[in-house]
Amino acid sequence: MKHSFSPSVSVALALLCVLTVKLLLAWLIPITADEAYYAIWGAYLSGGGYDHPPMIGFVLYPLLQFGHHALTLRLPAIFSSLLLGVVTYFYLKKDDPKRAAITSILLMIAPISLFNIIVTTDTPLFIFSFLSVMCVLQALRNNDAWCWFALGGLFLGLAFFSKYFACLLGLAYAVYFLFIAPNRARLLGLGWLALFTLPFVVQNIYWNYHHDWSNILFNIYNRNNDMGFSFKTILAYVLILLYLITPPLVFALAKFPKQQLKQQALFYFFFIPLLLFFLLSSFKPIGLHWPLAFIPLIYVWAGQYLSGENLRKLLKFTVCWSGVQLILVVSLLLIPLKSVQDRHILGLNYNKIVYFFHHKTINDLLKEKYSLDYIYASPNYADACLFFFDTNHYASVFLKGSYHGREDDLITNFKHFQNKNFLIFSRTPLVYNDYKPYFHQVTLHTLRYEQATFYYLIGTKFNYPNYREKILRSINDTYWIDPPYLPHTPSFFYLKYNFRH
């Protein structure tokens, strides 16, 4: 007799298997610099962050109360895709429980879910954008019920409070409700969406008004100096979509009758954001994580509109697609470091590979050798962030750095370090003359670990006035000049260091 599980049991078993795999990956893969960076946001809660709205900090704050552990910090990412899978099942099961179960499992084992264990600003965006769309779909299913629109607006506001990519979803809502399928109830629904999103927008504007519009400076100016038309970036984006959506699902979407697609609200909610990314890819490289928040909607679409046979074929392919990648990832993680000592992998030299896997041990060695009376710092924001996460002792960014490290400008006040002693760490050699003007005495040191060399210096009696004039003034003039067309309060940075424009 052939035995089969009920749809709900099948989803539960898949959820348990995926959870096990994600916990294993989260345990094997060391904390990344970006994760350590956002852990700082959780430790130093603020109404905003230098480059993005602050939601990830509020998500991580309670988790950091249990200590600086990789598994703890990554819990939001580990459970995010599982939450999406469960919500998908309950949304679709009303029409067909078996199809709902296949779709839910498909979404949970897809690469965007299975390998989603790194916590970033995209994590809450991933969750809240999806929940917003599901609420809007529920509103449409229930005769344009205003309460579901309001809840969808709340989740859209939380998504906006996570990352500005949520604006693309808001635009998709506006296009659909204003031009594709408008009626009085839906126009009111769009109003409810806007009303419940508005408080988060107002808060973000208020914070930026008091902090030199840093989110605007980062996202429009500082990170876009390299923009220019390129076919390579377009091709790269197409390949990213092919990977994230999977080839057979892309094919199924492409051959679906266009007239039917034009009548489906869900189609517009993922198509418009992905189309806008495509247009942007003409001028700028699109990161693998950029379209991530909108890809799960395609799986929900598949569960609603593809045949059961097509869904089962997709499931079989995705099991193999993700399974092969999982074997590859685990195999790479188990390769002994010494076997890659004389090779470059993905542009990373042996020194960087060793630091990636053993930064905690290396940072703990430094902390044990030198007392906490030293001011810890690094010329690289990534190394500074990892030192903080590994030792629970904040490290500042020293020298000018790049536009990536400006969150430290909101936290560190070098005025308080006059005559203090510094320990400055780097994965790359430190140049004596770059640091000598800012200390009474500088001594260079090396640290060997797993046949890799790391570098640090001890600087005694920090010269704040000299550092202020040569480094902080340059930072102020480069990164903290308010856009002339926007109102603002006096710059917090030049007030902190008594600069005058």
Side-chain angles (χ1 to χ4, degrees), residues 6 49 128 171 184 211 228 246 260 287 317 342 376 395 451 486:
S6 70
F128 294 129
L171 178 61
R184 184 176 181 277
H211 293 83
T246 72
Q260 293 184 41
F317 173 85
D342 299 320
Y376 286 83
Q451 286 76 55
L486 291 173

Side-chain angles (χ1 to χ4, degrees), residues 170-438:
L171 178 61
Y173 288 156
V175 169
Y176 181 76
F177 292 123
L178 289 174
F179 304 108
I180 306 300
N183 62 38
R184 184 176 181 277
R186 290 175 183 176
L187 292 177
L188 288 173
L190 184 61
W192 284 112
L193 284 166
L195 180 64
F196 277 78
T197 303
L198 187 61
F200 299 95
V201 176
V202 170
Q203 190 281 338
N204 185 252
I205 292 173
Y206 178 81
W207 186 88
N208 273 275
Y209 173 74
H210 286 276
H211 293 83
D212 300 287
W213 299 97
S214 67
N215 294 170
I216 304 297
L217 290 173
F218 175 81
N219 287 290
I220 295 181
Y221 296 102
N222 295 338
R223 70 185 302 182
N224 293 317
N225 294 326
D226 58 345
M227 288 185 69
F229 182 80
S230 171
F231 284 112
K232 289 183 179 179
T233 52
I234 296 174
L235 178 60
Y237 176 64
V238 171
L239 292 176
I240 285 173
L241 290 184
L242 194 64
Y243 169 72
L244 292 176
I245 302 171
T246 72
L249 186 49
V250 170
F251 180 71
L253 182 60
K255 72 173 188 177
F256 198 83
K258 301 301 182 288
Q259 280 304 117
Q260 293 184 41
L261 279 177
K262 291 177 181 179
Q263 299 170 11
Q264 299 162 3
L266 184 53
F267 168 72
Y268 294 94
F269 298 160
F270 67 75
F271 176 73
I272 290 175
L274 296 182
L275 176 63
L276 291 172
F277 279 134
F278 176 78
L279 297 175
L280 183 60
S281 73
S282 303
F283 303 94
K284 183 175 178 62
I286 301 297
L288 182 68
H289 59 290
W290 286 25
L292 197 63
F294 308 103
I295 302 300
L297 302 177
I298 302 177
Y299 287 85
V300 179
W301 172 88
Q304 277 192 298
Y305 299 108
L306 294 186
S307 67
E309 181 182 355
N310 279 339
L311 283 175
R312 284 187 287 272
K313 288 180 180 179
L314 273 173
L315 183 60
K316 289 179 182 178
F317 173 85
T318 306
V319 169
C320 298
W321 178 255
S322 295
V324 169
Q325 294 176 56
L326 180 61
I327 293 171
L328 180 62
V329 168
V330 173
S331 300
L332 289 173
L333 290 171
L334 295 178
I335 293 176
L337 286 180
K338 291 181 180 179
S339 66
V340 299
Q341 187 169 354
D342 299 320
R343 297 178 177 86
H344 279 64
I345 298 178
L346 299 176
L348 300 176
N349 60 31
Y350 179 66
N351 177 287
K352 292 181 180 179
I353 294 172
V354 170
Y355 190 70
F356 175 73
F357 283 99
H358 296 287
H359 55 74
K360 178 167 176 52
T361 302
I362 294 166
N363 287 327
D364 282 341
L365 287 173
L366 284 173
K367 185 180 175 184
E368 289 173 11
K369 188 173 182 179
Y370 295 94
S371 73
L372 295 181
D373 290 336
Y374 285 88
I375 305 299
Y376 286 83
S378 173
N380 183 295
Y381 92 99
D383 295 346
C385 295
L386 286 169
F387 187 90
F388 162 77
F389 188 82
D390 293 337
T391 66
N392 200 15
H393 186 74
Y394 187 75
S396 300
V397 177
F398 202 83
L399 298 184
K400 187 175 178 179
S402 72
Y403 66 84
H404 287 294
R406 307 276 51 99
E407 179 73 15
D408 181 63
D409 294 341
L410 301 169
I411 299 173
T412 296
N413 191 333
F414 281 94
K415 202 161 38 174
H416 299 155
F417 296 156
Q418 172 68 9
N419 289 325
K420 298 283 188 179
N421 299 329
F422 274 69
L423 186 157
I424 301 175
F425 171 83
S426 176
R427 285 172 285 119
T428 56
L430 296 165
V431 179
Y432 177 86
N433 288 334
D434 288 347
Y435 297 87
K436 182 62 182 76
Y438 314 116

